[in-house]
Amino acid sequence: MKFEEIIEQQRFFFNSNHTKDLNFRIDTLKKILFLLKENEHLLYKAVYDDFGKSEFETYTTEFSLIYHEIKLAIKKLKSWSKRIKVRTGFANFPAKSYIIPEPLGTTLIIGAWNYPYQLSLLPAIYSLAAGNTVILKPSELSSKASRAMATLINSNFESNYFHVVEGGVSETTALLEHRFDKIFFTGSIPVGRLIYQAAAKHLTPVTLELGGKSPAFIFADCDMKTTAKRIVWAKFINAGQTCVAPDYILVEKGAEEKLLKALYKELEKYPKTFQEFSDHYMQIVNTKNFDRLNQLIDESKVCFGGTRDRDARFISPTVLKDVSFEDSIMEDEIFGPILPILTFSDLDNAIHQVKSRAKPLACYIYSRNTTSINKLLSELSFGGGAVNDSVMHLSNSNLPFGGVGFSGIGSYHGKAGFDAFSHFKSILHKPFWFESHFKYAPYSASKLKWIKRIME
């Protein structure tokens, strides 16, 4: 079936108002939850075949979030969909005012490969929860996971409601030629620009979840052992292929050696060669990304790790020290298991260095000093982050997840996910039993006097 036929069928089905029924939406969410749980073993195998991701990591970083968000949407959907009463003001007395959440229409979700289930299904789930139809285009780089989602969804849902399109650049380009009521994209900044340009032709609203170089500030007063444990986990989960992973460390001068010792202790738990490959580590997604990462490793600055195996697409957790902002590894987001360490003695200068670059998707601060923490939180702009932890802010549905500037447009998770796929229609509702004469002709000085008193 051609893309235009699927899109037109989805638009026709949406206009039937069937998707606006709350019970229909809740039943859809329950069905997705059931299908995912019933087919977990097949989905685990698919992503393992793509890049060696274990069942443990797939559950903790993907399915746990998906299941939590589905259950939250089922529980909260009726309250999220209610009319929102707001104050009216004396100028419109007597009247009531309210806002009606309504679905946008036919939506396109373009997922990413690094968390193929979470980053494809979560936006789709919230689009369906809001009452839209969905065309889902997973990343072709995680081809086995893409095929698993397509098989599962397309065999259980009609294409006029929820449909997965497989393929690569040509399929995505063809889809973007058509008008949608919302496009949600997760991926790189260069591709995000292309999505934005294509959407602009149709004045289609977009949510762009992109990336950037997310710093982790580590101060000498932190608990270094706990800091190292949390940093290592956050950086090397998914072999560093995480958009909110700490991209680099800025450690207070004088605390670097203490940090390195704590990092080494944690990194001893990770494989040093592909022959030691274990469930808590994984491969680089493809050879192209392996080669890109391989070129970023300056052998003279490796202080831990650095083992590479191109055939196995394996790079051991690697730490670089004596790095400066002028080094090539500091130019773009790393998106791999390489952790550069820079030092700072002047916090203002460190902040200046970060602010002189594109706004990051995340920022992490490890310190007990409230003044330092608040200074960074108030002076640096970033999508979201954590104090004395990394990455885990994503697990809180009450914290909208998204970027700012080059790291993204819009946010989702929890109610923010519902809001991202909804239009909030504002209504002023008046009775007929009273009407003031002040705004109507003929005008007079006394009427203007009263209007000024009422309106201001």
Side-chain angles (χ1 to χ4, degrees):
M1 188 182 297
K2 295 180 179 179
F3 293 156
E4 54 263 35
E5 293 177 10
I6 298 173
I7 295 166
E8 284 307 311
Q9 287 178 7
Q10 289 206 354
R11 189 162 284 118
F12 182 82
F13 184 62
F14 175 78
N15 287 332
S16 73
N17 295 317
H18 201 59
T19 65
K20 293 183 179 180
D21 181 79
L22 282 177
N23 290 326
F24 175 78
R25 296 190 227 174
I26 291 171
D27 287 344
T28 295
L29 296 176
K30 289 179 177 178
K31 182 177 180 179
I32 294 171
L33 182 62
F34 173 79
L35 289 171
L36 291 175
K37 284 186 172 290
E38 284 293 299
N39 293 277
E40 251 189 32
H41 61 292
L42 298 174
L43 297 167
Y44 284 142
K45 184 180 185 305
V47 76
Y48 184 85
D49 290 344
D50 277 328
F51 48 127
K53 189 168 184 175
S54 69
E55 180 178 328
F56 188 96
E57 275 209 13
T58 302
Y59 179 81
T60 55
T61 64
E62 303 213 53
F63 286 118
S64 65
L65 293 171
I66 293 169
Y67 293 157
H68 173 77
E69 297 276 327
I70 292 177
K71 291 177 182 179
L72 179 68
I74 291 170
K75 181 180 178 181
K76 297 288 188 179
L77 188 56
K78 288 183 179 179
S79 64
W80 291 345
S81 301
K82 283 182 178 179
R83 293 181 178 183
I84 305 164
K85 295 178 181 179
V86 296
R87 292 185 63 186
T88 298
F90 192 63
N92 284 301
F93 177 85
K96 57 184 177 181
S97 299
Y98 48 88
I99 300 166
I100 304 174
E102 66 175 14
L104 293 168
T106 299
T107 64
L108 173 64
I109 313 292
I110 304 173
W113 57 264
N114 54 321
Y115 293 93
Y117 302 132
Q118 181 208 143
L119 298 179
S120 292
L121 292 175
L122 271 189
I125 286 161
Y126 272 108
S127 181
L128 295 168
N132 302 289
T133 65
V134 172
I135 291 177
L136 172 60
K137 167 59 183 68
S139 172
E140 71 280 8
L141 296 186
S142 47
S143 59
K144 303 292 194 307
S146 175
R147 171 51 57 91
M149 283 186 282
T151 301
L152 188 62
I153 291 167
N154 293 349
S155 61
N156 286 283
F157 291 93
E158 296 296 328
S159 61
N160 66 350
Y161 178 46
F162 186 18
H163 186 72
V164 175
V165 171
E166 290 189 89
V169 175
S170 59
E171 286 76 14
T172 303
T173 303
L175 283 168
L176 290 170
E177 291 175 357
H178 300 281
R179 182 180 68 83
F180 290 90
D181 297 294
K182 172 80 178 193
I183 295 174
F184 190 110
F185 169 77
T186 303
S188 68
I189 294 171
V191 179
R193 285 195 181 98
L194 298 177
I195 302 295
Y196 208 9
Q197 290 169 2
K201 295 177 183 177
H202 304 287
L203 295 180
T204 299
V206 298
T207 295
L208 300 177
E209 297 296 345
L210 307 175
K213 295 189 75 63
S214 300
F217 285 84
I218 297 178
F219 291 83
D221 68 341
C222 74
D223 180 327
M224 203 62 78
K225 180 180 177 181
T226 302
T227 294
K229 184 181 288 291
R230 292 172 181 173
I231 285 283
V232 165
W233 176 84
K235 176 62 181 181
F236 297 108
I237 195 168
N238 221 48
Q241 299 166 121
T242 304
C243 60
V244 290
D247 192 86
Y248 62 99
I249 287 175
L250 280 162
V251 60
E252 192 171 9
K253 204 167 187 65
E256 182 183 13
E257 287 305 315
K258 187 177 178 181
L259 171 65
L260 287 173
K261 287 179 182 178
L263 292 174
Y264 294 165
K265 188 171 182 179
E266 288 301 315
L267 287 167
E268 286 295 334
K269 304 170 185 176
Y270 286 77
K272 299 175 183 61
T273 67
F274 185 67
Q275 286 68 35
E276 300 175 18
F277 194 78
S278 63
D279 282 351
H280 58 273
Y281 202 60
M282 55 190 290
Q283 295 167 285
I284 306 304
V285 68
N286 57 23
T287 304
K288 180 181 178 182
N289 275 279
F290 176 92
D291 291 341
R292 176 186 61 81
L293 291 166
N294 185 48
Q295 292 177 356
L296 293 177
I297 299 175
D298 182 343
E299 293 288 353
S300 67
K301 298 189 178 184
V302 173
C303 61
F304 189 93
T307 305
R308 282 95 86 191
D309 185 331
R310 190 172 189 271
D311 291 337
R313 307 195 316 270
F314 174 85
I315 299 176
S316 67
T318 301
V319 177
L320 308 180
K321 69 175 184 177
D322 301 324
V323 178
S324 73
F325 278 102
E326 287 68 43
D327 289 347
S328 60
I329 198 166
M330 296 303 295
E331 292 176 4
D332 296 305
E333 183 180 9
I334 297 168
F335 218 72
I338 309 168
L339 180 60
I341 297 180
L342 297 79
T343 61
F344 72 91
S345 53
D346 183 340
L347 182 56
D348 286 320
N349 183 58
I351 291 173
H352 171 74
Q353 291 285 356
V354 176
K355 290 175 74 172
S356 66
R357 290 157 175 82
K359 295 176 181 179
L361 181 57
C363 179
Y364 306 112
I365 307 162
Y366 288 84
S367 178
R368 291 186 172 97
N369 188 301
T370 303
T371 301
S372 298
I373 293 168
N374 289 336
K375 181 178 179 66
L376 286 165
L377 292 178
S378 64
E379 294 188 20
L380 282 181
S381 179
F382 52 92
V387 175
N388 298 330
D389 206 351
S390 297
V391 175
M392 288 302 293
H393 59 295
L394 269 70
S395 64
N396 185 350
S397 298
N398 297 310
L399 293 174
F401 171 66
V404 59
F406 282 102
S407 61
I409 298 171
S411 59
Y412 70 125
H413 287 195
K415 187 177 184 299
F418 176 86
D419 293 351
F421 291 97
S422 300
H423 167 66
F424 291 85
K425 187 163 54 182
S426 300
I427 304 296
L428 176 69
H429 192 150
K430 279 191 173 183
F432 288 111
W433 59 265
F434 176 80
E435 181 61 29
S436 167
H437 69 282
F438 291 122
K439 67 182 179 183
Y440 297 106
Y443 301 149
S444 68
S446 62
K447 283 185 178 181
L448 181 59
K449 180 181 177 181
W450 275 103
I451 285 174
K452 286 182 176 180
R453 293 177 67 179
I454 292 169
M455 296 298 290
E456 295 180 13

